[in-house]
Amino acid sequence: KNEVEQSPQNLTAQEGEFITINCSYSVGISALHWLQQHPGGGIVSLFMLSSGKKKHGRLIATINIQEKHSSLHITASHPRDSAVYICAVRSGYEKLTFGTGTRLTIIP
Amino acid sequence: NAGVTQTPKFRVLKTGQSMTLLCAQDMNHEYMYWYRQDPGMGLRLIHYSVGEGTTAKGEVPDGYNVSRLKKQNFLLGLESAAPSQTSVYFCASSYSPGLHQNSPLHFGNGTRLTVT
């Protein structure tokens, strides 16, 4: 079993829909990252959180430390949100374990 | 402010050839990392550095060497390329996670390497 599991692997939705991507992990962590990888390949950091909830524009990230689970939500989704979303957990200063990503496609 | 810059963007090597990938950051970050990304797998750490003059192995270090002679640069070398090293390579940097708990990762745009 991978230390970091993301679901779903692929998600296709209509523009305007509310999107949820899930991340479960099996190790103790100090922080969890959500990253976005654009079709061109570049990776951008969206959130880093260790408890509670963070919001940036239409994106919301939550984490439940007890349940070892995090969600990334996108409200009013738009085709430009189409990307691969990656969850990564930090369990040591150097150790980051990455999920395999969720490929999101938003259809106009 | 360029952030993290990787060169080259693309490269094709023959088996046995050598090459160096360069990563440069202008954010005064202490930590720098080299990852590889392969289909169906999460990013995997090759080597990392916690400061100028220091390097350490990650989870998949075999076949690679690194150097960090200057704080802003982190070089990844392939001494004798093999087809198994065909991958997309990403450099990343951050402030020390121990000192800056909310420090995000900053990634370069990647290098697509093909070894034939």
Side-chain angles (χ1 to χ4, degrees):
Chain A
K1 187 179 191 299
N2 292 334
E3 290 182 351
V4 180
E5 297 273 358
Q6 286 187 237
S7 63
Q9 284 188 309
N10 293 284
L11 177 57
T12 300
Q14 294 286 336
E15 182 174 355
E17 286 189 37
F18 181 82
I19 303 299
T20 296
I21 298 170
N22 297 299
C23 175
S24 297
Y25 53 91
S26 57
V27 297
I29 69 168
S30 57
L32 182 142
H33 296 255
W34 280 104
L35 309 168
Q36 180 191 54
Q37 185 168 23
H38 296 286
I43 300 174
V44 175
S45 179
L46 297 175
F47 294 103
M48 199 187 85
L49 63 166
S50 54
S51 65
K53 176 178 172 178
K54 286 190 177 180
K55 184 174 189 290
H56 185 259
R58 294 180 294 105
L59 274 61
I60 303 165
T62 64
I63 188 168
N64 184 319
I65 297 293
Q66 288 73 28
E67 294 187 3
K68 292 187 165 63
H69 182 268
S70 175
S71 293
L72 177 68
H73 305 286
I74 304 175
T75 61
S77 58
H78 190 276
R80 65 175 174 265
D81 297 325
S82 297
V84 175
Y85 292 84
I86 301 169
C87 169
V89 299
R90 185 179 290 284
S91 53
Y93 289 164
E94 301 83 29
K95 185 167 173 59
L96 268 174
T97 306
F98 293 79
T100 55
T102 294
R103 184 175 300 277
L104 174 66
T105 303
I106 303 297
I107 300 169
Chain B
N1 189 341
V4 180
T5 304
Q6 279 183 241
T7 53
K9 289 186 169 57
F10 303 93
R11 186 75 187 266
V12 178
L13 289 179
K14 288 185 168 38
T15 298
Q17 288 184 317
S18 63
M19 78 164 294
T20 300
L21 282 69
L22 172 63
C23 177
Q25 53 94 5
D26 60 2
M27 295 169 283
N28 204 33
H29 286 163
E30 295 94 355
Y31 278 52
M32 296 187 76
Y33 314 80
W34 275 108
Y35 293 97
R36 60 178 289 172
Q37 186 178 42
D38 300 295
M41 305 183 76
L43 287 155
R44 292 182 294 166
L45 183 63
I46 304 170
H47 286 280
Y48 65 97
S49 168
V50 303
E52 180 179 319
T54 72
T55 63
K57 294 180 181 179
E59 51 184 308
V60 288
D62 293 343
Y64 305 96
N65 57 73
V66 287
S67 65
R68 186 137 179 234
L69 298 178
K70 293 183 179 181
K71 188 176 184 179
Q72 62 267 35
N73 295 336
F74 194 30
L75 278 63
L76 177 70
L78 285 73
E79 291 178 345
S80 179
S84 60
Q85 294 177 302
T86 294
S87 188
V88 181
Y89 292 85
F90 285 96
C91 175
S93 71
S94 72
Y95 290 115
S96 167
L99 298 175
H100 305 271
Q101 294 199 3
N102 292 320
S103 175
L105 283 169
H106 295 260
F107 285 85
N109 286 330
T111 297
R112 186 173 295 275
L113 175 66
T114 303
V115 183
T116 60

